Every structure is written in C-alpha cells, then in structure tokens.
Amino acid sequence: MSRILEIDDLAVDFDTRFGRVRALDGVSVGLEAGETLGLVGESGCGKSITALAVMGLVPTPPGRIGAGSIRFCGEELIKAPKSRLRNLRGAEIAMIFQEPMSSLNPVFTVEDQIVEAIMLHRPIEYDAARREAVALLERVGIPEAAQRARDYPHQLSGGMRQRVMIAMAVSCRPRVLIADEPTTALDVTVQAQIFDLLGEIQHEFGVAIILITHDMGVISEMADRVAVMYAGRIIEEAGADDVLDHPQHPYTRGLIACIPTLEDDASLREIPGVVPPLHALGRGCAFADRCAYMDARCRRERPALAPTGHHANACLAVAEGRL
Amino acid sequence: MSGSYLIKRLLWGVLLMAGVVVLNFLLIRLAPGDAALVIAGEMGGASEEMLASIRKEYGLDRPLMVQLGLYLADMARLDFGQSFYFNQPVTGLIAQRVGATILLVIVAQLLAIFIGVVLGVLAARNPGGPMSAFVSVFATIGYAVPVFWTGIMLIILFASVLPIFPVEGMQSVKLREAGIIVKSLDILHHLVLPAFTLAVIYLAQYARLSRASMLEVLGSDYIRTARAKGASEASVLFKHALRNAALPILTVAGLQFGNLISGALLVETVFNWPGMGRLAFDSILRRDHPTILGVLFFSAAMVVVANLLTDLAYRFADPRLRGRT
C-alpha cells in the first residue's frame, strides 16, 4: 500500500477574542490508499479543522495554517495555488458533511448539484453528466432515481440527502473521501445504512476514507486505523483493533470505557471534567486536569506522540510505566 | 407553479383595488377645500347660483354615498370621469403620462437592484475590507439624503459643471421627428439623471441588505459543499450564494415599489419628467378630484401588480415555496 495523503506537523491558528489560538498543534498522520482512517475525539478537538485543512478550506481569516505540510500523492498542498486546490477538491479529495439537511443548496435540484460536480472536473457533455448523475443516485440506493433527480433537497429525507451527498462526493472518483460525522444527524437505523453504503462505495471505487467521528462503535465497524485527538493534537494512533482492545492513553481508555454495553449496569460513564479551552492550555499535557495518572511532570511537559511498536501514544504515564 | 394560486392572487388583487377605490374616494371628499370654488375660480367668478349650478353639473350636490355609488358604477366601466381642471377624460390624461412614470420607476428599480446587489456581494466577500466600509458609509448617506436634494445637486452638477446629461424633460425638441432608434436613445439619455436620483435611496438599501443577506448565506453549509466540490469563487458567490441571498432582496424590492412610485412623483417634479407626478401635483393643488383619484388608482394598481410579480418571482426563486397556495 502506498501513502496517498501525508499530514506532517500541521498547525492551524485561529484569531479569537482571546488572541491567537492554536487549534491544531503538530498533527502528523498518514492515509494509505484504500484504507479507512478513523479520526476520533470530542467536539472541538480539531478533527474537522484537520479535514478542512486537507481540503484547503480553513476559513481565512480568522484561521490560517501556522506550520507543517500536507502532501497528496507527494504534492505539497499548503503552498499550492488556489486554482490547483480547486482542481483537486471534488476531483481527488472529496468531502461529505455532518448536516445533510443543510449541506445541499436548497434552490437547485439534486441532479443539478451532482452534474455541477461532474462537469467541474471532467470534460463531459451535459446530457452525459446527467445520465451519470442518475446512475450515481441509483448506485447510492435512491429509489426511482430518475424522478428523484429532479427533486429539490427539501423534498428528500435526511438519509436520502446524505446519499445524494455521497453520490456527489464520489462522482469524480476521488482517491480520498473525508466523511465528517456523516451520520450524527441521522436516525440510528439510517446510520447503519449509510455506513454500509460507505463501505460498499469504498470497496467499489477504491477510495481511502478519513472518517471523523466521536463514536467508538462506528470506529470498530468501519476503521482500519484510528487516530485519537485531544485539544488539537493526536494523542494516540494505531490499528483500530489495537486501540479498541488495548487503549494506552488514559483519554482513549476513558473514551472506550464510555461505550455503553448491554451487560453493564444502567448508568452511563463519562470522563470527569471538560476539555480545557484552547486559549488556556498550559505548558503541560492538555489532559492532565482530567487524568487519574497525572503527576508533576505531566504539568510541566507536553508529551510528544511516541511510537511504541505500531502503537503510538502521547502520554508520560505510559512512557514511565506508571500506568 | 399552480394556476389556482395565480387565480387566487388575481382575485385578491381585484378586491384590494376595489377597497383602494372606495377609501381614496372617501378620503378625498373628507379633505378640506371646495372643488366647486376652485372650478369657479378658474372661470373667473363665483356667485352662489353659479356655484350651485357647478355643483349640480358635477354631481357634487348629491349625498356622498350616492356620489360614491355613481363613481363605482363608472369605475366598473373603466370610466375615470372628466377632469374638473383640464376638462378632458381622466383616462386620456393618465394614458399620456403613465408610460413615462412606469419607465422611470422600472429603470430606477432595476438600476438600484443591480448596482446595489453587486456592491453588496463585493462587500460581503470581505466583510472587514474597504469595499464593505464603503458600502456601509454609502448606504447611510444614500438613505439619509432626500431625493429632491440629490436631484437638485445632480442638476447643478450636470447643468453647469459637466453638461453631458440633460437635466430636464424626456425628449429633445429637435429630435421629435427623428427615427425610433434615435428617439429611444434620446429618451434614455434624458432618463439617466432622474432614474439615478430615484435609484440612489433604494440602491443604498439594497447594497446593505445584500451584504447582510450574503454574509449569512456565505456561512451556510451548502456554500462549504460548493467549495468542497471545487466550484470557483465567482460561482460560489454569484450562483450558489446569491440565488439564496436574493430571497430577502426580492421581498424588500416588492415592498419598496410603492415608495418608489411616491419617490417618482417627486423626481418627476424636479426633473420636469412628463409622468403622472406632475399631474398628481397639479390636480391636488386644484382639487381636481377625478384626476387625483385616477392617479391614485393607477399608482395603487402598479403596486398591486408589482407585489404579485414579486410573489411569483419569489416562488420561482425558492423551490420550497412552490406548490403552496
């Protein structure tokens, strides 16, 4: 397998009323062709910013890429001209979003929106693009696709809209598909269908997926590898089974302990405390305040992501064997 | 678009116009001033017998409700009556002038919407930038300055400093016999200043409104989707965003149409534009009731039609509204 996406020491800053805040700090992660990388973490940990940075869509201002590199098939994207990024977006790197209800433009038919995506990147006649749009809609499981194609987004259910988004995203056969919490806004039954569909699409189109989620259950179903993020950094990275079965970082352990099981007593568990605001991060480990294994060194030093075999983690307690 | 919706709206429009006719009639009759005195004054004398005969001739001696009934009966036949002052059918008086007013109002409206929206979109592209600041300042000034002042300043500017646009009238006398194309260009040439004067207030409003509306739309998820599929910035702004941002602009444009017509009456007076404004002004001074009522009727009809068109445009622009009645 070859690496098609390589994020190296990426930092993204945002200007806020508290001054400049580092929303992503030293994020390094790679994506192999055809695999699914899960990006896990709580709201605000930097998952979506990582995705937007890859797309070249970090809102600037207030945001800006502070440092680092993102390479797609060896090509550096950080300093690439806007026109080059536009050509890659949708064609090679596509994205689907959390909110299918609002992610489609309400004043255009779904067909128009897919046709636009196709015609932006491929030399193709309008009629051919339309036929392809209908075929894609069929492929993603929209019944009576030819008629539904003429519908406006408001005439479709949330699940259908997410299917349309998927059809649009894969219309140019991208090599990377970023799915940013694609099912968070959907019913549980529909969630399963969408993940099934993503799995099929991945198989059929050979697309590598970055799956952003806060749901460890989804990770165990979908992901080959997992990177766990906390407060703008990756704190653990390994194969999905490794992370699920042998989590190392106390935060990851906490996340996995929070998954409710049928055998469990009725009470839901949680990690005590809250994510510290990014503008108030001290020198030490961002998780220290919530960590049962914290000691004085954790307050002073910010641990780097240290590989232990195939399993990398950023925790001093793990490194010192205190845990 | 459903036909039943259109029919329903048209029926409402007719009903509304009937209400407008009755209210206008009653309001004008309630206003102080005696039409008979004015008519008599124009004729040079005013003995009691003469006033009585004038009142009788014009039907002013009959009870108000009877006059209203007779007026409505005439209106039903689209007969607007005889002008007290011009001594001509009101229909003819208005027909000579309504075209000029419609031309002025529509051109001013299109000018205001077009320039306003372009300014607003450019401002929204960079909300902290110089264009955005310019639009805010310009909008405040444009909104605050009265239309007759703008008109007079433009007349001073173009009459003495930079005489490239005519400051008065609608046509050049020497071109009266020219061909249709030359004549049309001449009218457009005369139209520049009055249309711009009338447009300024609304232009400023549309610029502000489009800026706000675009800013809201540009933050929405589907704009991110458009960017994610690789659409160009121009396509994002003018196709994906503007089409959505246009909805509130359309609403305001429809509502402003009435104000635009009253503004047109002022602008016509300032620029001597031969529309209904001058006629309204003269007939109000002379208590020429049939003419005033006729002018008001046509102004109201223009507003009703404009609002109907706005509604249809709204349904065209926003698919979510189609199929509703």
Side-chain angles (χ1 to χ4, degrees), chain B residues 84-243:
Chain B
F84 294 166
Y85 173 70
F86 295 96
N87 215 6
Q88 288 176 38
V90 169
T91 321
L93 285 172
I94 291 175
Q96 288 162 19
R97 294 166 173 85
V98 71
T101 295
I102 291 179
L103 180 70
L104 173 64
V105 166
I106 288 181
V107 169
Q109 175 82 315
L110 292 180
L111 208 63
I113 292 177
F114 181 76
I115 301 179
V117 166
V118 169
L119 286 178
V121 170
L122 294 179
R125 205 170 58 161
N126 182 4
M131 189 64 188
S132 191
F134 169 76
V135 164
S136 297
V137 172
F138 176 73
T140 311
I141 294 174
Y143 194 56
V145 165
V147 66
F148 58 85
W149 186 85
T150 317
I152 291 166
M153 288 302 122
L154 285 176
I155 287 179
I156 293 172
L157 177 65
F158 285 98
S160 55
V161 184
L162 195 68
I164 52 171
F165 293 118
V167 296
E168 193 203 42
M170 186 172 171
Q171 282 175 308
S172 308
V173 180
K174 57 180 192 241
L175 292 176
R176 280 275 153 83
E177 304 304 318
I180 181 95
I181 294 174
V182 175
K183 243 169 137 172
S184 304
L185 288 176
D186 184 45
I187 291 177
L188 279 183
H189 193 205
H190 280 79
L191 187 58
V192 171
L193 292 184
F196 184 74
T197 304
L198 184 54
V200 165
I201 290 182
Y202 304 98
L203 193 165
Q205 284 184 41
Y206 294 138
R208 250 194 111 101
L209 182 67
S210 343
R211 179 180 174 275
S213 183
M214 280 293 285
L215 277 178
E216 195 186 317
V217 169
L218 284 174
S220 58
D221 291 344
Y222 53 83
I223 293 302
R224 191 181 51 188
T225 306
R227 293 206 164 104
K229 62 178 159 181
S232 69
E233 204 50 31
S235 161
V236 167
L237 280 179
F238 288 98
K239 182 181 168 191
H240 288 273
L242 185 54
R243 181 81 188 269

